[in-house]
Amino acid sequence: MEINLDNLSPDMIQAIWVMVAARVVIWLFYANAVRKLMLVISEENRFMRPSQAWWLAIPFLNIYWNFVVARHVSNSLNNEFFDRKIAEEENPGLGKGLLYSWMFLLSHIPFPSFILLTFFILGVVYFIQYWVKIANFRHLLMEHDRIYKQKGKDGPEVEDKQTEHETT
């Protein structure tokens, strides 16, 4: 099947541009979610700078960068959870991130259309799941910060001293 761009109507060209623009806007929101997560992680635990998340919004480069982000976010979260003593899965988010990355990569390889559609649908599903997981990790870390600041600099010991005082 040969595609002749001269035969496309102006409405079709406009629809293509709208789809491309919508996709880039979604990638920008996703990149911002990754950036916000990296900002919550301590600088010494980060495997990438928060500003590097914006590379996710660049078409074609993001095919590769999704793999990098999945690995770096997972390693950063692993270090952060260890430092904060938060019990969480090992390599947090890595599975979903890599599944999304692979589906995104496979949806850009010229396969027959029914296979491409399958990869695209799976890619969208894993993309949403990974984005939600990133948002949940960010909220977990922010909640941990909020609780820690309420208890004061002593953290958990403040609660222990209060319960000790109540028992005597």
Side-chain angles (χ1 to χ4, degrees), residues 46-110:
R46 292 181 194 156
F47 275 73
M48 68 183 241
R49 292 186 310 274
S51 61
Q52 289 178 312
W54 295 116
W55 291 106
L56 289 167
I58 299 175
F60 301 113
L61 174 66
N62 60 4
I63 294 172
Y64 163 73
W65 200 248
N66 281 319
F67 288 97
V68 173
V69 166
R71 174 68 62 194
H72 287 338
V73 165
S74 177
N75 290 339
S76 300
L77 286 170
N78 213 17
N79 287 351
E80 189 71 12
F81 290 150
F82 180 79
D83 282 357
R84 294 185 186 211
K85 296 174 180 49
I86 298 175
E88 189 58 54
E89 64 189 87
E90 188 175 338
N91 298 322
L94 183 62
K96 294 281 188 223
L98 288 178
L99 280 171
Y100 161 63
S101 300
W102 278 107
M103 290 304 119
F104 189 73
L105 169 70
L106 291 172
S107 69
H108 286 82
I109 296 175

